Amino acid sequence: AGVPPPHTMRHKLAFRRLGRDMAHLRALLRIQTTQLLKYERIQTTLPKAKELRRPVEKMITLGKKGTNSAYNVASQWIMEKPVLEKTFGELAERYAERPGGYTRVLKAGFRRGDAAPMAYIELVDNGLVPLRQPPKDGLRSGPKQDAGKPAVDSEDAAPSEKSKN
């Protein structure tokens, strides 16, 4: 009676259950929130990464408030004291001018074994090595190649002076 049939609309359902009861789901999100704030990038399944955005954004926002009340609320969710202090110190300073959007989800293919879609979730503006190169000139990707034609390198198109000799 608690789960609607698959053909009905998802009215008034605030989040994904991820196949777990509420206690397990809360524990999972608390652990992953703590780990993401600690390491600033973690790999998980795509649905878990998408669900993880909400609590992480909320914890960073609480860190930016910096009040005793916000600290108490965040301490109920973040499981390690050093991570809690990092959230209210380093991360609050880093994102002081940013009005939200502290996380980024990058798809990472499919897991061997069960083919689950995997993703990296990371904090933006971190000091880690980027997983992907930023787009050039504001374009998301370059021009698409025809399937039958191979891509031509600039070296192949025009022979250099050294190869003429």
Side-chain angles (χ1 to χ4, degrees):
V3 178
H7 61 276
T8 60
M9 292 187 228
R10 294 178 38 91
H11 294 301
K12 296 189 178 185
L13 297 179
F15 47 85
R16 299 171 203 182
R17 294 288 289 270
L18 301 173
R20 293 158 171 82
D21 60 32
M22 285 307 297
H24 188 181
L25 179 65
R26 185 172 189 266
L28 171 82
L29 292 176
R30 285 183 66 202
I31 291 167
Q32 288 199 331
T33 298
T34 303
Q35 295 301 304
L36 180 59
L37 293 173
K38 182 176 184 179
Y39 297 111
E40 300 191 14
R41 177 188 294 154
I42 60 173
Q43 185 178 22
T44 184
T45 62
L46 185 59
K48 287 179 194 171
K50 288 181 176 181
E51 279 305 306
L52 188 58
R53 291 180 295 193
R54 281 176 66 187
V56 170
E57 302 257 339
K58 185 173 182 180
M59 293 304 114
I60 293 175
T61 302
L62 289 171
K64 286 170 59 174
K65 285 184 183 177
T67 63
N68 286 340
S69 176
Y71 188 89
N72 291 335
V73 170
S75 69
Q76 295 292 312
W77 193 264
I78 298 174
M79 301 176 73
E80 298 177 14
K81 187 162 177 81
V83 178
L84 185 62
E85 292 169 358
K86 177 181 179 181
T87 303
F88 278 78
E90 177 187 338
L91 296 179
E93 293 171 11
R94 184 190 306 172
Y95 299 119
E97 299 300 319
R98 183 181 281 269
Y102 312 117
T103 59
R104 173 187 303 126
V105 175
L106 299 169
K107 293 182 181 179
F110 297 91
R111 182 165 58 197
R112 285 183 66 177
D114 65 353
M118 299 300 287
Y120 287 98
I121 181 168
E122 64 182 10
L123 300 179
V124 298
D125 298 334
N126 60 29
L128 303 174
V129 177
L131 293 173
R132 296 186 185 153
Q133 294 300 322
K136 297 178 183 176
D137 301 330
L139 300 174
R140 292 187 67 188
S141 62
K144 294 188 178 187
Q145 298 292 330
D146 290 339
K149 296 181 182 179
V152 178
D153 292 340
S154 59
E155 295 175 7
D156 295 339
S160 63
E161 293 297 320
K162 292 180 183 178
S163 64
K164 290 183 181 179
N165 293 340

